[in-house]
Amino acid sequence: MYVPASSVPCLCSQRWILAYTGFFGVFFVYALRVNISMAMVCMVQTFSLNDTMTTLGNETEDMKCPDDNMNNPHLNEHAEFDWNKPLRSSMLASFFYGYIITQIPGGWLADRFGGKRVFGIAMAISGISNVLLPVCARLSYLSVFILRVITGLATGVTFPALQSIWGRWAPPLERSKLIAFSGIGRPFGNIGTFATSGILCEYGFDNGWGSIFYLSGGLTCLWVISWFILTSDSPVTHPRISQSEKDYIVSKIEYNTSERSETVPWMKIFTSPVVWACLTAHVCNNWTNYTLLTSLPAFMKEVLKFDIKENGVWSAIPYICQATSAIIAGYFADFLRTRKLLSTTSTRRLCQLTGFLGAGACLIVTGFTPCEHRYLAVAFLSLAVMFTGFSQAGYICNHVDFAPKYAGVIYGLTNMAGTVPGMVAPIVAGALTPNVSSGELQTWARDIQEEIVGTVDDSKYDATVDNELRTEFRDTVM
């Protein structure tokens, strides 16, 4: 039965309520993912012997780029852990060890049994894991690895589940808007976490950094309740949807949303060129995103020299730009398709090409911007992240475009490959910048005596010596 779109409610409709609820769900997925990146800045004693020797060796650079943290009398007063940089990088990557495992199973479960339960249960597990993290971190650093892997395992099913739901809820000419709106929970999750974590580090309860995990985990558990109340797996099973909206969605979706397939055409999926195109785009986009997610707070603190409260604000700005561009791209893409100015294929290609070329160019410029022009570096970094927002109307929507019935499992497949950068990028970033400074002196280029001193194991040096070096360094630069 044909139902005109003009006769169906829009902003207060059940499909848009799903988008609003999904937005907050994705918000908390990313809040739980990145909160440790920001918390680690204030929970770990990063001023080690190696850092001191490197900083003394780069005194000229530091005088050009004074460290705001040196003027902060509360520097690292909340730090409880002496974790070296390789250990911290591994902790940041541990989330993805679990995340990569549940991508395809999560999509299959959502397509087979419904995305509502899969998404909701996963977020409940993730929220509880984050609430437990501060207590467990004080017991052993191994417990942090375990809880981050559990969080990764749980949240690994969320995006495939959400794509599966949209395959049953999003009419073709509204997909860009609906999926983009729920998807901007990603940058807003980063914005909320980065903007508040610096303040919580300084003024929060449980030594500051602990409150980051308690609040993000606790609010996630509250959201889970609203998710189970407000949403449904398909329009057919929703208890409060109007008849006109149900008929409109069912008439537009390309298959019967009330039936669930028991088999998946795996061979056709694996041999489909469009699936491989989405997979490639997913991997490329995620390398940029995950590098920034895990390394941006440290970059702001260690290279651009922002203090902990400024760090959160400046780290949030790029994601405000990303959220804005994602909304614009979603509406623009549906406008082009509705007016038949471009086909769906051409629209997705245009959005993705714009995102990749723009982000790549701006990141290259950011890398060549000296730290004495740090605000210019933030501007180019913000532009780079802004361009990544165009992916919301690019490959992300494409999964639902060409296979809405199997959108969950296909997104799980491409996101599994796209998770590899999340496992590798933090370790690569740490390996490329072992001494945290920009343009740092390489080990092979040091004097022999300096090299011997610089290779002392952080875990074995005398704390008294470290305190003397701190005092000497501050007397030198002040």
Side-chain angles (χ1 to χ4, degrees):
M1 181 178 65
Y2 173 75
V3 180
S6 58
S7 66
V8 179
C10 182
L11 295 181
C12 294
S13 63
Q14 292 302 323
R15 65 188 184 281
W16 273 97
I17 290 175
L18 173 62
Y20 307 145
T21 313
F23 163 84
F24 285 105
V26 174
F27 176 99
F28 287 117
V29 169
Y30 265 70
L32 300 179
R33 179 182 298 190
V34 305
N35 56 10
I36 194 170
S37 301
M38 196 66 195
M40 199 168 284
V41 174
C42 57
M43 65 191 286
V44 177
Q45 301 167 10
T46 57
F47 203 109
S48 68
L49 180 59
N50 283 347
D51 295 337
T52 303
M53 297 308 300
T54 303
T55 308
L56 287 170
N58 292 300
E59 180 179 338
T60 303
E61 180 73 12
D62 287 337
M63 293 305 291
K64 289 191 297 184
C65 306
D67 191 346
D68 291 348
N69 290 287
M70 295 303 298
N71 299 320
N72 184 359
H74 304 293
L75 176 67
N76 270 359
E77 70 173 8
H78 302 299
E80 300 182 34
F81 309 102
D82 188 19
W83 297 333
N84 59 34
K85 189 161 188 178
L87 180 60
R88 300 198 304 270
S89 297
S90 297
M91 282 183 177
L92 293 175
S94 63
F95 169 92
F96 298 99
Y97 301 151
Y99 189 75
I100 194 172
I101 294 174
T102 53
Q103 294 294 320
I104 294 178
W108 181 83
L109 287 170
D111 287 341
R112 181 71 180 86
F113 301 106
K116 173 182 176 179
R117 282 171 288 180
V118 174
F119 199 152
I121 293 172
M123 291 302 289
I125 295 171
S126 303
I128 294 170
S129 297
N130 270 258
V131 170
L132 294 175
L133 194 143
V135 175
C136 293
R138 294 181 175 110
L139 297 177
S140 170
Y141 71 86
L142 291 176
S143 62
V144 177
F145 277 100
I146 294 171
L147 287 174
R148 292 300 294 175
V149 170
I150 291 173
T151 302
L153 286 167
T155 56
V157 308
T158 54
F159 287 111
L162 192 57
Q163 289 289 102
S164 177
I165 293 173
W166 282 128
R168 291 165 171 77
W169 272 94
L173 294 181
E174 295 184 31
R175 279 177 184 153
S176 301
K177 293 191 289 285
L178 291 167
I179 294 176
F181 188 89
S182 62
I184 63 171
R186 291 177 171 94
F188 274 105
N190 299 331
I191 293 166
T193 304
F194 286 146
T196 59
S197 293
I199 298 173
L200 290 173
C201 273
E202 191 72 22
Y203 306 110
F205 56 91
D206 193 21
N207 212 17
W209 63 267
S211 60
I212 297 173
F213 297 103
Y214 292 132
L215 289 177
S216 57
L219 291 174
T220 297
C221 292
L222 292 177
W223 172 86
V224 170
I225 298 173
S226 68
W227 171 257
F228 280 111
I229 294 174
L230 295 174
T231 65
S232 184
D233 287 321
S234 74
V236 176
T237 58
H238 199 291
R240 293 178 298 278
I241 192 172
S242 67
Q243 189 63 43
S244 61
E245 183 181 8
K246 181 191 295 184
D247 292 340
Y248 167 67
I249 296 173
V250 170
S251 67
K252 296 296 182 181
I253 299 297
E254 297 89 338
Y255 69 101
N256 187 351
T257 60
S258 63
E259 296 181 359
R260 296 193 177 275
S261 176
E262 296 184 3
T263 60
V264 178
W266 293 109
M267 185 58 64
K268 293 182 178 180
I269 289 175
F270 279 108
T271 57
S272 171
V274 292
V275 172
W276 284 98
C278 280
L279 186 148
T280 304
H282 211 145
V283 171
C284 295
N285 185 72
N286 279 11
W287 186 282
T288 301
N289 281 335
Y290 288 146
T291 299
L292 293 176
L293 281 177
T294 55
S295 304
L296 187 56
F299 175 76
M300 291 289 183
K301 175 178 181 287
E302 297 168 351
V303 177
L304 300 186
K305 310 296 185 183
F306 288 111
D307 71 27
I308 185 63
K309 293 189 289 295
E310 285 183 299
N311 189 332
V313 175
W314 289 111
S315 296
I317 288 176
Y319 295 102
I320 296 175
C321 298
Q322 186 185 53
T324 303
S325 68
I327 287 293
I328 294 173
Y331 275 87
F332 181 64
D334 280 347
F335 172 81
L336 293 176
R337 296 163 66 231
T338 302
R339 298 298 179 90
K340 298 183 178 180
L341 299 175
L342 286 176
S343 66
T344 297
T345 300
S346 297
T347 301
R348 302 302 182 215
R349 287 174 177 172
L350 175 64
C351 291
Q352 198 59 59
L353 189 64
T354 301
F356 279 161
L357 292 179
C362 292
L363 283 174
I364 291 172
V365 175
T366 301
F368 284 97
T369 305
C371 62
E372 56 263 34
H373 300 301
R374 58 184 180 176
Y375 296 106
L376 184 62
V378 173
F380 281 113
L381 187 62
S382 298
L383 286 173
V385 179
M386 180 198 75
F387 277 110
T388 65
F390 281 83
S391 295
Q392 289 293 334
Y395 79 89
I396 293 177
C397 290
N398 235 176
H399 300 77
V400 184
D401 287 330
F402 62 75
K405 188 175 183 179
Y406 304 104
V409 73
I410 293 175
Y411 193 89
L413 173 64
T414 65
N415 203 28
M416 183 182 72
T419 302
V420 174
M423 301 166 63
V424 177
I427 297 174
V428 171
L432 292 175
T433 57
N435 300 316
V436 307
S437 61
S438 177
E440 61 193 34
L441 184 66
Q442 298 299 299
T443 303
W444 53 266
R446 295 175 180 170
D447 291 336
I448 296 176
Q449 183 177 1
E450 181 184 355
E451 186 174 350
I452 293 172
V453 175
T455 56
V456 175
D457 187 348
D458 281 351
S459 64
K460 298 179 181 179
Y461 73 87
D462 191 333
T464 305
V465 175
D466 182 57
N467 291 331
E468 291 174 359
L469 284 170
R470 289 173 186 255
T471 304
E472 179 184 348
F473 171 69
R474 287 174 178 166
D475 289 343
T476 301
V477 299
M478 293 179 64

